[in-house]
Amino acid sequence: MHAFSSDTIAAKATPPGKGGVGIIRISGQEAPKLALELLGVIPEPRKAMFSGFKASDGNLIDQGLALYFKKPNSFTGEDVLELHGHGGTVVMDLLLQRVIGLGARLARPGEFSERAFLNNKIDLAQAEAIADLIEASSAAAARSAIQSLQGHFSEEVTRLVEQVTALRMYVEAAIDFPEEEVDFLSDGNILVQLQNIILQLNKTLDRTRQGAALNEGLRVVIVGHPNAGKSSLLNYLSGEQTAIVSDQPGTTRDVLKEDILIDGMPLRLIDTAGLRDSSDQIEAEGVRRAFNEVSQADRVLLVVDASETETDLERHELVKKFSDQASKLIILRNKIDLTNDLYSSDTLGYPVINVSAKTGQGITELKEHLKSCIGFEGQETVYLARRRHLDALNRANSHFENAQQQLLVYQAGELVAEELRQAQNVLGEITGEFRSDDLLGKIFSTFCIGK
Ligand SMILES: Nc1nc2c(ncn2[C@@H]2O[C@H](COP(=O)(O)OP(=O)(O)OP(=O)(O)O)[C@@H](O)[C@H]2O)c(=O)[nH]1
Ligand SMILES: [Mg+2]
């Protein structure tokens, strides 16, 4: 289905409804012939031409600007004709029907971008950035999307792929000359290069993680003992009474999700069942689900009671339990309105914020902290990315770590080469160099028509 098609495609590029101007975009080999029928001439490429748009009987459907791009110098890499007419629903429909009547067919969602990809005008991450720029829900997301669209993210990935390719060649050469293999593998050069790649990858991973959060919302899960005030916090942050709050421990059993914006930054808040050993089967299932959410979260808000002292926190059962999620953990001392014993622990190694889900004390600080987690409004360049990219980078990372182990522990050249080969493929999925039709279908079908 996504094999290259030679059909000429057409769609309205402007949004549905009325507007001052409406644009119909046509791409494919029939575009020049269509121009001749509709305008009477093939316009000079890249020059706006004012013209009538003719119906089959020679009468005008509309008049406006025509723009012609000759292949390969167009968005799709094919001959492209754009008709900028008046943006009325009926007149646009008539024009589109006329174009279809002349042999074009209606484009599928994302088909223009897909052709641009298949003709090597943009890579897959750039194509995704087009959709993400259009969908951007904040200025920061839009700024990052344009970074990705310009190819800065892809360039970093491509640089990594080049480094991996060079290293692979080096390792494979070593395997081909077995008498020298051991020397090759132990001369330290491979290890240095490998560690360098891992370092680079982790930098990219950091920015991609931020970009994915900016794009798809930071996943923030709220956990803690029963009655800590988790649901109250969800309600306070979302401004809605979504969750039931009561002084009965074990009130929340299901996982509750609420999408909110913090000053334009998208966030998915997840409230969970209070963590305790429970003989109640339903509650125990809720606890299991809470742990599952933690493993998928970008940030974990661990809500504790403000009456707990700093020493209590150091010994806190849940702080210990989540220590493997250390980089995600934020400790919230809730119900600070009852104690007013403010402190932020330096010894704990986690950010500690004093809050009250009742009075709202400390909530601004919490919001600022969450914004800074993903560099929202920060100075650093972030690429707008998707979970798909993040997943690929993570998988590449584990192949590199395996390669390092094969090298250091087993001196197994063949296995090092194999891990590098797999890492290279995984990285290639990001830019679409290594791809399946399934993946393309999944990505482009979520675009809207005309993109
Ligand atoms: N004074 C005060 N009371 C609070 C605060 N946050 C929550 N509470 C109260 O603490 C009790 C428990 O609140 P919930 O939000 O239901 O607690 P939870 O952590 O969701 O509890 P479970 O769902 O049972 O795990 C309720 O009576 C809340 O009104 C706070 O910041 N200050
Ligand atoms: Mg609750």
Side-chain angles (χ1 to χ4, degrees), residues 4-48:
F4 199 78
S5 132
S6 62
D7 296 354
T8 296
I9 54 172
K12 191 167 172 236
T14 38
K18 295 176 197 168
V21 176
I23 301 176
I24 291 195
R25 183 151 63 163
I26 301 154
S27 177
Q29 56 192 9
E30 297 291 307
K33 195 196 96 187
L34 262 70
L36 216 49
E37 299 275 351
L38 286 160
L39 316 168
V41 292
I42 300 172
E44 197 181 321
R46 299 172 162 266
K47 270 210 164 147

Side-chain angles (χ1 to χ4, degrees), residues 123-265:
D123 65 41
L124 206 49
Q126 287 174 297
E128 290 170 304
I130 296 175
D132 294 339
L133 179 59
I134 294 171
E135 301 286 336
S137 61
S138 68
R143 273 197 300 272
S144 309
I146 196 73
Q147 292 290 330
S148 298
L149 179 53
Q150 285 178 304
H152 297 315
F153 174 49
S154 307
E155 277 162 27
E156 260 189 44
V157 175
T158 306
R159 250 197 315 276
L160 271 169
V161 170
E162 281 165 7
Q163 281 173 287
V164 180
T165 313
L167 183 57
R168 254 186 85 186
M169 279 165 64
Y170 191 79
V171 174
E172 279 168 14
I175 298 168
D176 287 342
F177 297 99
E179 62 278 10
E180 293 166 32
E181 181 176 346
V182 178
D183 293 347
F184 252 116
L185 291 175
S186 54
D187 72 1
N189 190 1
I190 296 177
L191 184 62
V192 169
Q193 286 190 51
L194 194 55
Q195 283 172 341
N196 189 19
I197 290 174
I198 293 177
L199 203 71
Q200 299 286 325
L201 180 84
N202 277 297
K203 280 189 194 154
T204 307
L205 199 53
D206 254 3
R207 284 197 281 232
T208 310
R209 202 175 284 127
Q210 291 178 29
L214 202 52
N215 196 11
E216 294 171 12
L218 194 72
R219 285 181 81 92
V220 177
V221 50
I222 309 173
V223 296
H225 282 143
N227 253 355
K230 302 176 292 301
S231 301
S232 305
L233 192 70
L234 175 86
N235 289 349
Y236 194 94
L237 284 168
S238 65
E240 312 251 353
Q241 296 303 313
T242 308
I244 300 173
V245 165
S246 89
D247 56 6
Q248 239 181 62
T251 305
T252 309
R253 293 162 159 219
D254 273 325
V255 169
L256 293 174
K257 299 185 180 172
E258 190 76 22
D259 289 323
I260 65 164
L261 286 177
I262 294 183
D263 303 335
M265 178 181 86

Side-chain angles (χ1 to χ4, degrees), residues 253-423:
R253 293 162 159 219
D254 273 325
V255 169
L256 293 174
K257 299 185 180 172
E258 190 76 22
D259 289 323
I260 65 164
L261 286 177
I262 294 183
D263 303 335
M265 178 181 86
L267 205 110
R268 167 155 287 196
L269 269 179
I270 300 157
D271 180 24
T272 61
L275 303 174
R276 65 171 172 187
D277 286 331
S278 174
S279 53
D280 180 322
Q281 266 192 17
I282 300 170
E283 195 181 336
E285 173 61 17
V287 170
R288 199 191 61 73
R289 292 185 186 194
F291 277 103
N292 184 36
E293 288 298 334
V294 166
S295 66
Q296 294 174 40
D298 296 305
R299 284 293 179 280
V300 177
L301 302 180
L302 174 56
V303 183
V304 300
D305 199 280
S307 63
E308 312 234 22
T309 64
E310 203 167 347
T311 336
D312 288 340
L313 284 188
E314 278 163 24
R315 288 194 290 245
H316 200 283
E317 169 212 356
L318 292 178
V319 175
K320 284 191 184 145
K321 200 162 229 154
F322 291 118
S323 60
D324 62 327
Q325 308 280 340
S327 60
K328 301 177 180 176
L329 208 58
I330 299 166
I331 295 176
L332 298 184
R333 296 181 64 229
N334 189 37
K335 310 195 188 181
I336 198 70
D337 55 294
L338 295 180
T339 70
N340 233 345
D341 162 32
L342 298 170
Y343 69 80
S344 341
S345 173
D346 299 324
T347 51
L348 214 56
Y350 304 109
V352 175
I353 305 175
N354 303 299
V355 297
S356 165
K358 190 172 176 186
T359 66
Q361 191 182 338
I363 298 290
T364 309
E365 198 186 335
L366 171 62
K367 288 180 174 176
E368 289 304 319
H369 185 85
L370 289 172
K371 281 199 285 186
S372 72
C373 287
I374 65 169
F376 195 75
E377 291 166 348
Q379 296 307 309
E380 206 198 351
T381 322
V382 174
Y383 310 122
L384 204 66
R386 297 184 170 195
R387 302 271 155 184
R388 172 183 97 73
H389 306 144
L390 200 55
D391 174 57
L393 290 171
N394 276 320
R395 277 185 292 142
N397 201 20
S398 42
H399 286 303
F400 291 133
E401 308 249 308
N402 289 348
Q404 193 173 353
Q405 194 185 17
Q406 295 298 351
L407 180 68
L408 287 175
V409 183
Y410 307 109
Q411 298 257 306
E414 303 265 1
L415 296 177
V416 175
E418 175 58 19
E419 294 290 350
L420 291 178
R421 189 187 66 81
Q422 290 191 25

